[in-house]
Amino acid sequence: MTIMRKILFSALFLLLIITGMSGCRQESKNLRSDHIVTGISADFDYLNPLLIQLSLSREVCALIYPSLVKPEYNEEKGAIAYKPWAAKSWEFSPDGKRAVFHLRSDALWEDGKKVTSGDFKFSYGLYKNPKIASSRQHYLNDLLLLPDGTADIERAVETPDDSTLVLHFNQPLSKDIVLDHFNDLMPVARHIFSAIPPDEIRSRASELPIVGAGPFRVREWRRQEKLVLVANPSSVLPRPAATGTMTFLVVPEYTTRLAMLKSGQIDALISAGGITPKDAEELKTTNPDISIKPVHNRYFDSIVWLNIDGERYRNSRVVAPNRFFGDRMVRRAMTYAIDRQSIIDGFMGPDHAVIVNTSLSPAYRAIANTTMEPYDFNPGKARELLRAAGWTPGADGILQKNGLRFSFELAAPVGNPRRNYAATIVQQNLRDIGIDCRLRFDESLIFLKNQNEFRYEAALSGLAAETLPFQLIIWGSDFVNRPFNSSAFRNPELDRVIGELSRPLESGRQAALWKNYQQILNDEQPRTFLYYYDELEGFGKRLDRVEVNLLSTLYNAYDWKLKN
């Protein structure tokens, strides 16, 4: 039985269970008065902050593990501020090379042990370990370094007492960079993980304990089926969850998830594009009690063009140009060839998406570069660029160059109607200019693994790129240590700009650098940036106290509660 069939079988089995139980539960409302069920399209990659890569996994980990601070987005100002969490206060040295965090003394791991500065220092050592291969490993490169260029954890991280964490940096850093990056490095419990060989943490991930200090703890995790969280009664980060149980139910098929939301079998439908705009509009009439909450300016879709020869890199670690997309002229042609507005109009509608030409969110209007090439749909321009790059029609009408047909697979994850729709438009657009684009759909975790291993020459995928500090970790010529740089794009000038943006700067210089950042991406098109879109999250009529924002769909999930 294939993985996909197993997933579908599991989802249908769970659906039958829940459907059967719903009748019984009419006799005992208490069974669902304190149990929120959320439908998701795919399982989490990991529930260990050292290993996570998927944005929804990160959101759930933030409900389980301690973090230094809590970011909050001010929509009116278009800015992110930070409030106390595990750290009750913090200060920075005038030269930007030292930060001191004063931790709460009453935060406990769920087994009763105290959360200490030692947990953070110990965990930073694990994030650094190359065998763990954390997607956030390079955050530590801002610390004082050893002669080999890796973080000197012993010297750079001081713990004068259990409640004080001192960080020393090798260069001045902006406060926002420090707060964003080190907040993302959520710790694991030293008293548990110190007994586990670091080299085994990734390979043994499925069997390792999940012990947190946040408002929820894990009761059960059945891979590809469900994750069950329960309130953590000892949490002060910020408090025990308001609901006793929260289940994330994996249902790959979108129409099934939607039907379950309509019938009340699930209380929320989130992630993987949420609810389609067409269905959201219909729900206003058919199910007016379902609340639709848009997450604006957080997510973008793009087509990742692999800039390198992935097979050669995997086999010999040699970086050589990709046979198609190693050429900037070809990548620019791809963007001209794709009718992005048609995708928006046909699926999301113009009110729920905006075309972009870089990875920067439209939320940051103050630093937007408004002078860039817009890449309006122009098949003629695409053909012209391809011809200049040496691609001419072959006997079958498909472009060829030196005997190589322009024929490749475009991969996308299953269970996402928006990306499925976009893929068919892209396929036709490219066919119209003489390119053979074959579609391939893989289960989400397989898709992520293949993309991380540079197995796709082209992939339709997206990112939650909500903060400016996160923009600075997407790109980097050291793409092996930048897992979000799945195109393996290298550009020394962009590296220089990113390096300078990481430091304290006066506002004028910072704005100029951000515009340069955008210009480089616009000129190079390492991805065809399609659009930032509104993810329309759906919530049942009984679910109360829900807040979603640019930063997170589960932003205040610890306060969610079912109304009687």
Side-chain angles (χ1 to χ4, degrees):
M1 183 181 289
T2 66
I3 291 176
M4 191 63 235
R5 288 176 61 195
K6 286 180 181 177
I7 295 171
L8 290 172
F9 178 82
S10 298
L12 290 171
F13 179 70
L14 285 166
L15 176 59
L16 289 172
I17 291 175
I18 293 177
T19 304
M21 290 177 67
S22 63
C24 300
R25 286 177 176 175
Q26 296 300 317
E27 299 176 4
S28 180
K29 292 184 179 179
N30 289 334
L31 289 178
R32 282 281 277 123
S33 65
D34 197 32
H35 183 180
I36 295 170
V37 181
T38 297
I40 56 177
S41 68
D43 202 1
F44 308 96
D45 53 351
Y46 298 97
L47 290 179
N48 182 323
L50 301 169
L51 306 175
I52 54 173
Q53 186 169 344
L54 296 176
S55 60
L56 192 60
S57 301
R58 175 174 168 264
E59 290 192 38
V60 169
C61 279
L63 299 174
I64 299 170
Y65 294 91
S67 54
L68 285 172
V69 294
K70 173 80 168 177
E72 55 183 359
Y73 179 65
N74 185 315
E75 194 160 346
E76 289 184 7
K77 295 182 179 179
I80 294 171
Y82 297 87
K83 62 183 182 181
W85 213 246
K88 60 185 180 181
S89 64
W90 51 90
E91 64 259 3
F92 296 88
S93 63
D95 64 1
K97 297 179 72 172
R98 180 173 176 267
V100 181
F101 293 90
H102 303 283
L103 308 183
R104 298 180 61 137
S105 59
D106 56 351
L108 302 175
W109 296 103
E110 62 191 64
D111 61 5
K113 300 288 187 180
K114 185 177 176 180
V115 176
T116 71
S117 56
D119 292 307
F120 286 87
K121 180 172 183 175
F122 170 78
S123 298
Y124 296 159
L126 295 180
Y127 277 104
K128 172 188 169 178
N129 191 302
K131 292 292 182 66
I132 290 175
S134 170
S135 63
R136 290 153 176 83
Q137 180 184 98
H138 55 284
Y139 287 170
L140 298 166
N141 294 340
D142 292 328
L143 295 171
L144 296 178
L145 301 176
L146 292 167
D148 66 1
T150 63
D152 186 346
I153 302 297
E154 191 58 40
R155 195 163 56 98
V157 184
E158 292 184 88
T159 55
D161 56 56
D162 283 351
S163 299
T164 308
L165 179 69
V166 184
L167 306 177
H168 297 276
F169 309 115
N170 60 59
Q171 62 181 353
L173 288 181
S174 78
K175 295 176 182 179
D176 285 349
I177 292 288
V178 174
L179 292 172
D180 180 88
H181 287 186
F182 283 86
N183 187 60
D184 226 9
L185 299 175
M186 292 174 271
V188 293
R190 178 175 58 172
H191 64 279
I192 292 175
F193 276 79
S194 59
I196 302 168
D199 290 1
E200 298 179 10
I201 287 177
R202 183 169 286 275
S203 61
R204 293 176 53 198
S206 62
E207 63 186 72
L208 297 182
I210 301 173
V211 176
F216 284 102
R217 60 182 180 85
V218 175
R219 170 180 285 172
E220 179 184 15
W221 187 18
R222 293 187 193 172
R223 297 306 306 261
Q224 309 298 350
E225 292 185 12
K226 66 178 180 178
L227 168 68
V228 182
L229 304 180
V230 294
N232 176 9
S234 64
S235 180
V236 295
L237 301 174
R239 54 190 162 273
T243 190
T245 306
M246 180 175 289
T247 294
F248 292 88
L249 190 66
V250 179
V251 184
E253 177 55 47
Y254 166 72
T255 55
T256 304
R257 295 197 302 277
L258 183 61
M260 294 173 75
L261 180 66
K262 290 178 178 179
S263 67
Q265 292 169 326
I266 62 175
D267 304 296
L269 189 164
I270 65 170
S271 189
I275 295 176
T276 69
K278 178 183 176 183
D279 288 331
E281 194 62 32
E282 289 180 359
L283 287 173
K284 292 179 182 178
T285 301
T286 60
N287 298 77
D289 290 336
I290 289 177
S291 172
I292 307 295
K293 294 183 181 291
V295 178
H296 299 298
N297 296 329
R298 184 183 189 207
Y299 301 99
F300 74 86
D301 275 343
S302 65
I303 302 175
V304 177
W305 309 116
L306 185 58
N307 287 204
I308 65 170
D309 183 330
E311 183 176 4
R312 189 172 177 187
Y313 181 76
R314 288 193 305 277
N315 293 336
S316 62
R317 286 298 184 261
V318 171
V319 176
N322 182 272
R323 56 184 181 160
F324 303 122
F325 308 118
D327 186 337
R328 179 181 79 157
M329 199 176 296
V330 170
R331 299 194 300 268
R332 288 167 60 89
M334 296 296 102
T335 303
Y336 280 117
I338 295 170
D339 191 352
R340 294 175 290 174
Q341 193 61 53
S342 176
I343 300 171
I344 291 173
D345 292 344
F347 191 88
M348 293 157 288
D351 294 335
H352 292 297
V354 58
I355 290 173
V356 293
N357 290 298
T358 79
S359 55
L360 189 69
S361 169
Y364 300 102
R365 295 180 292 275
I367 57 172
N369 186 334
T370 59
T371 65
M372 299 184 300
E373 171 61 42
Y375 290 96
D376 294 332
F377 178 51
N378 190 337
K381 179 71 171 177
R383 292 189 188 94
E384 177 186 320
L385 287 169
L386 289 167
R387 187 164 51 250
W391 294 93
T392 57
D396 60 356
I398 300 301
L399 296 179
Q400 60 82 35
K401 179 180 179 180
N402 300 327
L404 174 66
R405 295 175 78 248
F406 207 139
S407 176
F408 66 91
E409 281 188 335
L410 173 63
V414 298
N416 189 311
R418 184 191 65 261
R419 289 183 190 154
N420 292 355
Y421 180 84
T424 60
I425 298 294
V426 170
Q427 181 184 45
Q428 184 58 53
N429 288 160
L430 296 182
R431 166 64 70 172
D432 290 344
I433 63 167
I435 294 175
D436 176 37
C437 171
R438 304 177 308 281
L439 303 184
R440 167 178 175 171
F441 297 96
D442 285 329
E443 186 273 322
S444 294
L445 295 181
I446 293 173
F447 177 85
L448 182 64
K449 181 176 184 293
N450 285 342
Q451 194 169 35
N452 286 342
E453 295 174 355
F454 307 116
R455 294 183 182 276
Y456 297 136
E457 290 192 299
L460 206 169
S461 64
L463 277 178
E466 65 274 20
T467 71
L468 292 178
F470 184 78
Q471 290 288 324
L472 303 182
I473 70 162
I474 298 174
W475 309 104
S477 294
D478 58 334
F479 57 83
V480 176
N481 296 315
R482 304 271 179 155
F484 299 108
N485 183 7
S486 45
S487 59
F489 174 60
R490 299 188 302 160
N491 185 285
E493 176 61 14
L494 185 59
D495 294 342
R496 186 194 65 77
V497 169
I498 288 172
E500 191 171 349
L501 278 169
S502 300
R503 303 180 191 124
L505 298 167
E506 56 89 15
S507 59
R509 177 60 179 164
Q510 188 177 65
L513 284 167
W514 276 115
K515 290 181 180 180
N516 193 11
Y517 171 95
Q518 296 164 73
Q519 190 67 59
I520 294 168
L521 293 175
N522 181 260
D523 291 343
E524 295 286 340
Q525 292 295 291
R527 304 173 179 231
T528 287
F529 303 97
L530 297 174
Y531 35 69
Y532 264 84
Y533 60 91
D534 293 344
E535 180 156 285
L536 306 179
E537 316 288 24
F539 300 94
K541 62 182 179 181
R542 296 180 59 217
L543 193 53
D544 197 18
R545 305 183 194 170
V546 175
E547 292 180 30
V548 301
N549 60 32
L550 175 81
L551 298 172
S552 174
T553 299
L554 302 175
Y555 182 75
N556 76 324
Y558 47 81
D559 281 337
W560 293 5
K561 189 74 177 172
L562 288 174
K563 294 180 287 189
N564 295 325

